[in-house]
Amino acid sequence: NDGDVRTIGQVDGPSAAWMVHPGAIYLHEAQIYIVDQLDLEGKIAHLRGISADYYTEPRSETTVSLIDKLGEKDARGCTIAHGEIQVTTLVVGYRKIRWYTNETIGLGELSLPPTELQTTGYWIGLDEDTVKQLDAEGLWTNNSNDYGPLWPLLRQKVRDRDAYRCQLCGAAEVGRAHDVHHKIPFRSFPSREEANQLSNLVTLCPRCHHQVETAVRIRSGLAGVSFVFNNLAPLYLMSDSRDIGVHSDPQSPLTGGTPAVVIYDSAPGGIGFSEQLFEIHSTLIKAARDLIASCECSDGCPSCVGPGGENGMGGKRETLALLDLLV
């Protein structure tokens, strides 16, 4: 600011896309900065000091593909393995989140190149019977929503009722039809007929719809396991939480398209964490189950499976049911 150009910090290359992307809020020595420009080739981010009542959270998409499987064995309710993998991460946007209230006040879109990491990982692939049992008990929330055969008619009726305008920002439909959103999440209802009541449906433009969906999080059992693993694994590895990454995928390439959770080394090439976790699989599963069961929260919190978000569902019951089948 005011011609004062100086270096205030450094970040590693792979972290630049999510820490100092354009529009990101960067905190340094109690000063708030906003990133105006990120020059990946020149390896420099240009920031300026501002006064802001929000912080930013990147939105990314991650895919994990197999390079070489080094070990595999059957375990209760699943198959576990470890090996060499490639983790590809693409930061696609970010949320602006107000301090203190944690409400989402804006969204930003980004166009950045993906980052690739060749490393080692340990993963758990769920058996078909495990998924079927959870699904039969209504405790598997990773399947796509089935809104029923009348959904196209209901969607048209809601858009017509709302005069084809977004009920949050007032934007009219131009080219693309607006979305129809469930005010109370679809998965919260015992039947689609109850979920699809007209009083529970509202017309939203794509931007507002994405913002609302981001705030209303329904954490699945698979995501809950990922969250608790991210907190527990470093304790057994005697490492920093930043030394590992955790990713869940209902259709993982690592397992031929079946649900899986993978824990991988953050260091290129890996430093041996994945094989250690492979060897203590049973201990890790039991510890995760015991931690969640002993937590006094009702439906998820940062100490166990993670919070559900604004008006969301934490997934504690789903996560416990999944781990019960793996212990």
Side-chain angles (χ1 to χ4, degrees), residues 131-191:
V131 176
K132 283 183 177 179
Q133 183 170 338
L134 292 170
D135 196 22
E137 296 173 0
L139 296 171
W140 182 254
T141 57
N142 285 102
N143 295 331
S144 299
N145 290 332
D146 179 8
Y147 297 129
L150 297 179
W151 179 246
L153 179 62
L154 285 170
R155 188 170 177 272
Q156 176 63 37
K157 187 177 293 187
V158 172
R159 289 167 53 231
D160 182 60
R161 180 199 66 192
D162 294 338
Y164 302 95
R165 287 187 173 275
C166 175
Q167 297 303 290
L168 282 183
C169 70
E173 289 187 3
V174 178
R176 179 193 185 282
H178 281 347
D179 299 329
V180 172
H181 170 71
H182 289 79
K183 298 176 185 177
I184 300 174
F186 181 83
R187 296 183 189 275
S188 302
F189 292 88
S191 70

Side-chain angles (χ1 to χ4, degrees), residues 71-90:
E72 183 180 53
K73 63 182 178 182
D74 292 331
R76 187 169 188 266
C78 64
T79 299
I80 64 172
H82 73 98
E84 298 176 3
I85 59 175
Q86 177 163 301
V87 182
T88 303
T89 303
L90 179 64

Side-chain angles (χ1 to χ4, degrees), residues 20-76:
V20 288
H21 59 74
I25 293 294
Y26 186 85
L27 301 178
H28 179 73
E29 295 183 350
Q31 171 66 49
I32 300 176
Y33 296 86
I34 188 169
V35 180
D36 287 329
Q37 181 185 356
L38 173 61
D39 180 359
L40 290 172
E41 290 187 3
K43 299 182 179 180
I44 186 170
H46 301 272
L47 301 80
R48 57 184 167 86
I50 63 168
S51 176
D53 64 348
Y54 69 92
Y55 63 97
T56 53
E57 180 181 89
R59 295 187 294 109
S60 62
E61 297 174 353
T62 299
T63 57
V64 181
S65 55
L66 179 64
I67 297 176
D68 187 22
K69 190 182 296 181
L70 302 177
E72 183 180 53
K73 63 182 178 182
D74 292 331
R76 187 169 188 266

Side-chain angles (χ1 to χ4, degrees), residues 82-241:
H82 73 98
E84 298 176 3
I85 59 175
Q86 177 163 301
V87 182
T88 303
T89 303
L90 179 64
V91 178
V92 297
Y94 60 95
R95 286 199 299 155
K96 296 179 180 180
I97 305 172
R98 196 182 302 280
W99 291 107
Y100 307 116
T101 64
N102 286 328
E103 62 181 310
T104 300
I105 59 174
L107 296 171
E109 301 299 323
L110 295 170
S111 179
L112 296 171
T115 59
E116 295 182 344
L117 171 68
Q118 288 193 9
T119 184
T120 56
Y122 141 81
W123 58 93
I124 301 170
L126 301 185
D127 290 348
E128 183 179 352
D129 289 343
T130 299
V131 176
K132 283 183 177 179
Q133 183 170 338
L134 292 170
D135 196 22
E137 296 173 0
L139 296 171
W140 182 254
T141 57
N142 285 102
N143 295 331
S144 299
N145 290 332
D146 179 8
Y147 297 129
L150 297 179
W151 179 246
L153 179 62
L154 285 170
R155 188 170 177 272
Q156 176 63 37
K157 187 177 293 187
V158 172
R159 289 167 53 231
D160 182 60
R161 180 199 66 192
D162 294 338
Y164 302 95
R165 287 187 173 275
C166 175
Q167 297 303 290
L168 282 183
C169 70
E173 289 187 3
V174 178
R176 179 193 185 282
H178 281 347
D179 299 329
V180 172
H181 170 71
H182 289 79
K183 298 176 185 177
I184 300 174
F186 181 83
R187 296 183 189 275
S188 302
F189 292 88
S191 70
R192 63 190 179 200
E193 288 75 21
E194 294 176 73
N196 289 342
Q197 292 292 317
L198 291 178
S199 59
N200 191 44
L201 302 175
V202 63
T203 303
L204 298 177
C205 69
R207 181 180 178 86
C208 288
H209 191 205
H210 182 82
Q211 183 170 334
V212 170
E213 287 286 348
T214 302
V216 182
R217 298 176 180 173
I218 298 183
R219 188 175 295 276
S220 68
L222 207 59
V225 169
S226 298
F227 189 93
V228 71
F229 275 2
N230 194 55
N231 292 329
L232 270 182
L235 300 179
Y236 287 92
L237 297 170
M238 292 186 289
S239 68
D240 190 276
S241 60

